[in-house]
Amino acid sequence: MSASGNDQHTPPAEAIGNPAAAAAWLERNVVESLPSGGLKRKLEQSVAESRPLRVKLGIDPTAPDIHLGFTVVLGKLREFQELGHQVVLIIGDWTARVGDPSGRSATRPQLSIEEINANAETFADQALKVLRSDRLEVRRNGEWLDMPLDELFGILRTTTVAQVTEREDIANRLRSGTPVSLLELLYPVLQAYDSVAVEADVELGGTDQHFNLLLGRDLQRAFGQQEQVAIELPILTGTDGERKMSKSLGNYIGITEAPADIYGKTMRVPDSALDEWYGLLVGNPPSEVLTPRDAKRQLARELVTRFHSETAAAEAESHFDRVIVRGEMPEEIEEGHIASDSEATVHLPAVLSELFGISRSEARRSISAGGVKLDGAPVAELDLVARELDGKVLQLGPRRHRRIIVD
RNA sequence: GGGGGGAUGUCCGAGUGGUUAAAGGAGACGGGCUGUAAACCCGUUGGCUCUGCCUACGCAGGUUCGAAUCCUGCUCCCCCCA
């Protein structure tokens, strides 16, 4: 495993310049590649015309960071790059305003334009943690979706209501009486039109994108273009080991998260999900000589190394051993300032509330449950003399610490 | 435009005048245990100046000793008809 963590995306020698071998390698861990044989034909065409394929991936900036599940798709894009093809990364600043209903049981919360733009800003940077910076074209779909109505009408004519309402997620919502807005029905058509706009040869997505990917082919045909190949990748399970990794379920690991968080969250993943995580994120199963614990530690190190550095991984591991395994204080503890006369009485719930951002009632509950410690010893009193707190480490639960400074 | 149904805590969901801060579940948090931040067990889960007080069942008002529960108006959602 290299520091870049991208060995898994390096093509074997026989795949270079050989469409059949290249297609087989690219399709080795995908769930679906449609139509069957389509990718090989595209690759042959690429060789014949000596032109790189345009491989599209759309990503809506609905959350501020890219999570691990998404890197599975990015990794596949990287493989196309390694074979010399052109990646077209579409930041869906306009589709984000519409909201993708795929796999959803309710309408997405509306994001403000400011949030969308702020997220869009960082997305390309984050994607570069997996993608190469050459053979990469980054576009925003506002470039073409901000169109006159008559053009939009032309696009909407291509698709029927039955098509967009028959898909399972939408059909379920209609059946259960959950609201579905017209805008949501529009979404797949707009995403499909992105394929037309960038003249995609291949589009990637998770299996939840099945409908959207195939509709892209329909739109391209309607606009007189060659149809793209649709490649569907597996969806990574979240840190709960059960549901798909997603921002809204809170079971995700963002690739820009702090090393200690990536390491810790990875350790929290149930052992039962280990094989899947190795397969999708590392590209090979864990070594059989490793116990589940050590396999998980190795995965955690590998992930921190990939998104930060080897040094950060070592530090994250020792932090984990120290704070979680041995229950000791972290090496570095953030200071927490409280303003008080040193002889005055301070109300502990108020201090906890201020330093850790919880409510005072919540703080009281934690205290009575024995979850609040001062220099490692549980505290029961609600009011303390400020002097007794000064310089001590206040701890909330197993992993939140602050060194108190009385000003 | 007409008719019918609905809006409950982070989420799902019970509750149709009186120990209801609101059953149950999920999630989350804390404790125990553990190789782990898993699993399992236990506890907590609106706020606060905390043996009490305040706020809360879409919004506004009303009836009542007392309402999430009854009435009126409004907003939003779903279904059917047009």
Side-chain angles (χ1 to χ4, degrees):
Chain A
M1 244 173 279
S2 74
S4 74
N6 279 316
D7 285 0
Q8 57 171 313
H9 303 309
T10 305
E14 70 269 19
I16 315 279
N18 176 340
W25 179 66
L26 287 168
E27 288 175 336
R28 72 193 182 286
N29 51 7
V30 309
V31 175
E32 198 101 69
S33 175
L34 299 167
S36 164
L39 181 59
K40 179 170 158 259
R41 287 193 292 277
K42 284 280 187 187
L43 290 163
E44 284 165 353
Q45 194 181 349
S46 164
V47 170
E49 299 172 8
S50 52
R51 127 189 124 76
L53 295 179
R54 294 174 62 74
V55 186
K56 171 201 172 194
L57 175 69
I59 170 170
D60 283 359
T62 50
D65 44 20
I66 290 178
H67 63 62
L68 278 185
F70 203 72
T71 67
V72 174
V73 186
L74 289 174
K76 184 56 65 183
L77 275 187
R78 168 78 183 224
E79 294 176 1
F80 276 93
Q81 285 185 318
E82 293 298 332
L83 285 170
H85 299 291
Q86 175 77 20
V87 163
V88 184
L89 184 68
I90 298 176
I91 309 288
D93 59 339
W94 270 63
T95 37
R97 302 183 189 199
V98 174
D100 186 2
S102 292
R104 290 238 139 202
S105 55
T107 305
R108 281 181 182 275
Q110 179 70 53
L111 286 170
S112 72
I113 311 270
E114 290 72 35
E115 286 172 298
I116 290 170
N117 282 331
N119 294 341
E121 289 293 327
T122 75
F123 264 39
D125 287 344
Q126 293 183 49
L128 283 172
K129 295 220 179 221
V130 179
L131 296 178
R132 301 167 58 123
S133 54
D134 60 339
R135 301 170 197 164
L136 174 66
E137 179 180 325
V138 180
R139 308 287 292 274
R140 292 197 181 196
N141 58 14
E143 291 173 38
W144 52 84
L145 290 182
D146 187 5
M147 61 175 63
L149 263 186
D150 62 340
E151 273 183 47
L152 180 62
F153 292 163
I155 293 168
L156 294 181
R157 246 186 282 277
T158 62
T159 307
T160 68
V161 172
Q163 278 178 283
V164 293
T165 53
E166 268 169 15
R167 42 189 300 213
E168 195 182 18
D169 41 21
I170 296 288
N172 283 343
R173 285 167 60 183
L174 290 175
R175 207 177 310 119
S176 69
T178 313
V180 177
S181 75
L182 273 183
L183 206 51
E184 290 179 88
L185 295 184
L186 224 60
Y187 184 93
V189 187
L190 297 181
Q191 174 175 330
Y193 183 73
D194 286 349
S195 292
V196 174
V198 303
E199 300 185 51
D201 292 299
V202 180
E203 176 167 6
L204 303 196
T207 49
D208 57 347
Q209 292 293 312
H210 180 79
F211 179 82
N212 295 348
L213 298 178
L214 293 181
L215 193 62
R217 290 171 53 82
D218 293 341
L219 265 281
Q220 286 178 312
R221 193 185 326 114
F223 281 83
Q225 292 184 11
Q226 258 191 48
E227 296 155 279
Q228 66 187 8
V229 170
I231 293 184
E232 296 169 33
L233 289 133
I235 307 263
L236 184 69
T237 299
T239 51
D240 55 7
E242 288 173 15
R243 299 166 299 175
K244 71 168 189 172
M245 183 175 286
S246 90
K247 166 80 175 172
S248 57
L249 292 174
N251 61 356
Y252 73 108
I253 298 180
I255 67 175
T256 58
E257 287 192 62
D261 291 328
I262 295 182
Y263 193 96
K265 283 186 177 184
T266 304
M267 290 303 286
R268 174 171 70 175
V269 172
D271 291 357
S272 58
L274 255 188
D275 284 348
E276 181 197 326
W277 276 49
Y278 260 88
L280 296 184
L281 296 170
V282 182
N284 53 269
S287 160
E288 284 181 17
V289 302
L290 294 178
T291 62
R293 180 195 61 179
D294 291 333
K296 203 183 290 184
R297 281 174 170 274
Q298 183 178 315
L299 177 63
R301 270 198 308 274
E302 158 66 17
L303 292 176
V304 177
T305 300
R306 183 178 302 177
F307 300 114
H308 290 278
S309 68
E310 248 170 281
T311 314
E315 283 169 6
E317 179 154 76
S318 76
H319 178 269
F320 182 84
D321 283 336
R322 188 182 181 112
V323 177
I324 304 304
V325 178
R326 296 197 299 273
E328 297 168 3
M329 298 289 173
E331 305 91 291
E332 287 181 24
I333 300 175
E334 198 177 319
E335 289 183 353
H337 294 263
I338 56 176
S340 171
D341 193 296
S342 70
E343 293 306 317
T345 298
V346 293
H347 196 53
L348 196 52
V351 174
L352 287 161
S353 166
E354 192 170 325
L355 299 184
F356 298 109
I358 59 175
S359 74
R360 294 183 182 195
S361 299
E362 204 176 342
R364 279 192 197 87
R365 280 184 235 120
S366 291
I367 291 169
S368 63
V372 174
K373 294 174 186 165
L374 205 51
D375 272 358
V379 274
E381 308 80 50
L382 294 183
D383 294 291
L384 298 162
V385 179
R387 171 170 39 79
E388 292 172 6
L389 287 172
D390 200 17
K392 289 189 177 166
V393 174
L394 183 65
Q395 181 177 348
L396 175 61
R399 54 186 193 279
R400 279 176 282 184
H401 305 78
R402 285 289 187 288
R403 186 173 300 283
I404 296 183
I405 309 293
V406 176
D407 294 317

